[in-house]
Amino acid sequence: MMSVNCLFYLTVQVTLFHYSGISLLRPMFYGFPNVEEAYEYDHQYFFGEDILVAPVTEPVNVATQMATKKIWIPEGVYLSWFKGEMLTGPLVITRNFALSEIPVFVKAGSIIPMRTDDFAPLGSAQVLPTSLKLMMFIGNAEEGSTLLYEDDGNSTQYTEGKFSNTPVSYKMDTSNYLLDVTIGPVTGSFNGMILARAYEIRVPNFWPAKTVSLDGKALNYVPLESSFAAYSENSWTYDGSTLSLIINVVTKQSVHNSLKITVDYGFYKAFNPYWFPGFSGILQRLIQAKKLLDNQWGIDTVYQEDYASLLNATETGMKITYNPQNIMALTSVFKTDLQDGTKQVENLLGLKASVKEQILSQLTNL
């Protein structure tokens, strides 16, 4: 399903393959032919130019329900898509992964275009979407850009020049704590081209905004919704579970005009979005740990008051989502709650040993 949602990214990368001959799935030595690790770590690969995938093929430990994997991060800065960790290569990391976790890393500065609907219906890959999600993996890269390539998708008219490119870029002004995002204008055309489009700009591991403006007009803050389709106005919001700034441009914009979004995050400049490496990933594990503990009710004598600190840590993302202005205070106690919650699980006398081992493994083997 991720491949369908990444259709625009796939289109851009396949277009590069068409002109360069470099395949979509690339072994590590394509990019690093003179580095020994590029040949040694042959179970990982680049998915296009920007994404590094390291499938977990190692056996799962029956007791912990986790697998241990070594991953080579090449030279450069890479961001863990699902865990929210920033890594600077070259280095080799050893990580433990649950069955639901996939090691995917994105080069800092990359912009990954996706669909706004997370569950695309069958046949949707053949329909040009009227809205796009732009995932901006900034990390330490002060600027980044991409081109959104499009054609009709069902003919060879692109060989006759019937296609379009839409530039997308961002630039950080770290002295004034500003982020500028620019989309368009489109160049080129083809039959059936989308003439107006809505956008969801999502920036993981970023500061909450002080203000956000679209072409000079201030956008309102609104509570986080479950989907892009639920928003009724151009606005911004914040997802505390992934520390993501989200800007919703729901009013369709002409692709022939450029639009500029400016974010002022100066009020929160003291906050470090990478203060806890892998924050998003550990939140997901805390949620799974809570489910395991909740499932023991009526089986073993385990009560929520016995692991109150773990519950507090689990709710951190939700609390930040509801009150992003309190992000400093909420994150300052997260480490303590996590440590205390882990000790509380260790001290649960009524908890089955196998369940305790699985939970502790997920909370300590990050």
Side-chain angles (χ1 to χ4, degrees), residues 165 196 206 239 252 290 333:
N165 284 303
F206 200 77
D239 183 351
K252 291 183 173 62
K290 178 184 179 299
V333 298

Side-chain angles (χ1 to χ4, degrees), residues 50-62:
D50 302 321
I51 300 176
L52 169 60
V53 184
V56 179
T57 56
E58 288 71 14
V60 170
N61 182 297
V62 176

Side-chain angles (χ1 to χ4, degrees), residues 33-34 53 96-97 123 129 135 153 160 166 176 181 183 219 240-241 272 287 299 335 339 341 354 356-357 363:
N34 298 318
V53 184
N96 293 278
F97 294 94
M135 296 287 296
E160 303 169 7
T166 302
N176 294 303
V181 177
I183 304 174
L219 301 184
S241 65
N272 177 9
I287 292 171
I299 302 174
K335 289 183 180 179
Q339 293 169 354
S354 59
K356 181 182 291 189
E357 181 178 7
L363 297 183

Side-chain angles (χ1 to χ4, degrees), residues 187-250:
T187 58
S189 64
F190 59 92
N191 294 331
M193 187 174 84
I194 298 296
L195 299 179
R197 181 167 273 151
Y199 299 95
E200 174 188 357
I201 295 94
R202 187 175 286 253
V203 191
N205 288 92
F206 200 77
W207 296 265
K210 178 183 178 183
T211 61
V212 178
S213 65
L214 171 62
D215 291 333
K217 183 178 180 180
L219 301 184
N220 293 325
Y221 165 81
V222 297
L224 180 69
E225 298 286 357
S226 59
S227 68
F228 178 71
Y231 294 100
S232 59
E233 63 175 309
N234 297 338
S235 57
W236 73 273
T237 189
Y238 198 77
D239 183 351
S241 65
T242 57
L243 302 180
S244 292
L245 175 68
I246 304 169
I247 302 158
N248 305 298
V249 183
V250 300

